[in-house]
Amino acid sequence: MDDLRDKYLGLIAGATDEPTLEDLRVQAVGKKGEISLKMRELGKMTPEERQTAGPALNALKAEIASALSAKKAALEDVALDERLRGEWLDVTLPGRSRRQGTIHPISQVTEEVTAIFADMGFAVAEGPQIDSDWYNFDALNIPGHHPARAEMDTFYMHRAEGDNRPPHVLRTHTSPVQIRTMEKTGAPIRIIAPGRVYRADYDQTHTPMFHQVEGLAIDRDISMANLKWVLEEFVKAYFEVDDVELRFRASHFPFTEPSAEVDIRCSWEGGTLKVSEGDDWLEILGSGMVHPKVLENAGVNPNDWQGFAFGMGIDRIAMLKYGIPDLRAFFDSDLRWLRNYGFAALDVPTLHGGLS
């Protein structure tokens, strides 16, 4: 016993680091340590021998454990002293500044888009997010059999039994704002309608709630040439390029005739979009000349007035400009994401004039 005691107390006293100390603990009192093996031999002893050896072994085990604990604390103190000597911190320096809040990319891009179109004479119009199917579909020349009117694509408001009011939906686009504004002000008109819209879809590039901005210009002699110029000026200003090449592809939308999908010439380098260069094309919006039936439904005489309309996803163009890979991140990310993609409040142009 005395030999074991002297052996391990000496080794513990001479240990210079924690890994060495841990090895000694295992050798002495670990599952297969020398003292542990000695204690297993108690079962082979006579009762008289156990009365002497048992307390002695327990006392030795406790003494070794106490020495290990004391040495570990001493080594930690030495390590701390070395860190304090080697590291230096001036506690009188001011702390690192961190922005207390940031502008969400959706809010930032909405402000950017609004400012660009305001320079071209477009006012901002708003409308309800819950609207009747007349404003959301019928007034826009969308027939009853159109797929967008199916419950698998559109959120319909619940109606209690006996409630015979017209069906209402969470708007699927901001086009109802165009109808309501034409009803209210007539023509001529030049507006954009930004806001939330809702569709029953969810994946990397679709969410049940997202944001759109639609534009409408009505006058006596507006043409597709005016539409092309407006979109070119917008793309140049938004993506901050001096020149841009747009491609108009014939398409079909119930509320415009003729209709066109609009692509921009671009390239992708390392996952980064380069506008106005390269050999690739990227679709960014839909557009066309307002259908005469839509004008009639809004109380505007199509024999006297004509115009164009366009629409694009704010979330989508935010992803393109600022390199955000997943649309769902706009809605389910934490503050670390917002600190990375957010914008300083003092640098954001606002609808109220100047900088916020």
Side-chain angles (χ1 to χ4, degrees):
M1 295 272 188
D2 291 337
D3 291 343
L4 283 177
R5 178 180 180 279
D6 294 341
K7 172 185 174 182
Y8 282 107
L9 289 180
L11 291 173
I12 291 170
T16 58
D17 54 55
E18 290 194 37
T20 300
L21 195 65
E22 175 62 17
D23 288 342
L24 291 173
R25 184 195 68 80
V26 172
Q27 293 173 27
V29 295
K31 187 175 181 180
K32 296 182 180 180
E34 287 190 77
I35 297 174
S36 298
L37 293 176
K38 287 285 186 183
M39 297 189 74
R40 292 181 185 178
E41 295 176 0
L42 291 174
K44 301 176 182 179
M45 297 181 183
T46 64
E48 293 76 14
E49 291 174 330
R50 282 199 297 271
Q51 287 181 354
T52 302
L57 283 170
N58 283 328
L60 175 59
K61 184 176 181 181
E63 187 175 3
I64 296 299
S66 178
L68 288 167
S69 179
K71 186 63 176 182
K72 182 178 180 181
L75 290 174
E76 290 174 347
D77 289 342
V78 170
L80 178 59
D81 289 340
E82 290 179 355
R83 282 189 60 193
L84 291 174
R85 285 193 298 270
E87 298 178 5
W88 181 81
L89 176 66
D90 186 351
V91 296
T92 66
L93 289 174
R96 294 191 180 116
S97 61
R98 172 177 286 181
R99 291 178 293 181
Q100 294 302 306
T102 54
I103 301 297
H104 195 281
I106 295 298
S107 300
Q108 164 73 11
V109 171
T110 300
E111 296 283 0
E112 290 181 24
V113 170
T114 300
I116 294 168
F117 282 112
D119 286 342
M120 290 187 278
F122 286 79
V124 175
E126 297 180 323
Q129 296 181 42
I130 300 175
D131 217 334
S132 69
D133 65 348
W134 161 258
Y135 284 106
N136 197 77
F137 295 122
D138 296 320
L140 293 161
N141 198 38
I142 300 175
H145 61 270
H146 195 280
R149 302 185 75 147
E151 291 188 1
M152 67 181 65
D153 290 332
T154 298
F155 294 105
Y156 282 83
M157 305 304 293
H158 175 72
R159 282 281 182 262
E161 186 175 351
D163 188 342
N164 296 319
R165 288 179 296 169
H168 277 64
V169 300
L170 295 179
R171 66 183 183 188
T172 59
H173 42 195
T174 57
S175 301
V177 178
Q178 299 180 23
I179 301 295
R180 289 180 174 275
T181 305
M182 284 191 285
E183 285 182 340
K184 182 178 180 180
T185 66
I189 190 173
R190 195 181 302 180
I191 62 165
I192 59 169
R196 295 184 182 91
V197 296
Y198 306 85
R199 296 179 190 174
D201 207 352
Y202 188 69
D203 58 33
Q204 187 173 358
T205 57
H206 300 86
T207 53
M209 186 276 287
F210 56 103
H211 301 79
Q212 273 190 343
V213 59
E214 299 190 9
L216 174 70
I218 304 294
D219 214 319
R220 295 192 183 277
D221 57 357
I222 286 182
S223 68
M224 287 285 286
N226 302 119
L227 169 63
K228 184 174 184 292
W229 179 85
V230 165
L231 296 179
E232 285 178 344
E233 291 301 304
F234 167 74
V235 172
K236 286 191 288 187
Y238 178 72
F239 287 105
E240 302 176 24
V241 294
D242 295 328
D243 194 19
V244 66
E245 184 177 350
L246 299 185
R247 180 176 68 179
F248 284 67
R249 290 181 291 106
S251 186
H252 170 72
F253 304 115
F255 29 81
T256 52
E257 181 60 38
S259 303
E261 304 273 10
V262 180
D263 306 333
I264 56 173
R265 181 182 289 278
C266 65
S267 67
W268 293 91
E269 294 181 7
T272 301
L273 176 69
K274 302 286 187 180
V275 175
S276 76
E277 61 182 60
D279 298 320
D280 293 328
W281 294 91
L282 178 68
E283 177 189 328
I284 59 169
L285 59 90
S287 65
M289 299 299 291
V290 179
H291 198 290
K293 289 185 178 180
V294 174
L295 294 176
E296 285 181 357
N297 291 335
V300 175
N301 189 342
N303 295 319
D304 298 328
W305 305 95
Q306 63 186 43
F308 62 75
F310 59 85
M312 70 189 86
I314 293 176
D315 316 65
R316 176 168 167 74
I317 62 174
M319 293 172 68
L320 294 175
K321 182 174 181 178
Y322 296 111
I324 301 170
D326 193 323
L327 181 63
R328 294 168 292 189
F330 284 121
F331 310 104
D332 59 9
S333 296
D334 57 21
L335 288 176
R336 292 169 296 178
W337 182 91
L338 192 54
R339 290 191 187 110
N340 182 49
Y341 288 110
F343 295 83
L346 293 178
D347 298 334
V348 179
T350 73
L351 293 173
H352 309 294
L355 297 177
S356 62

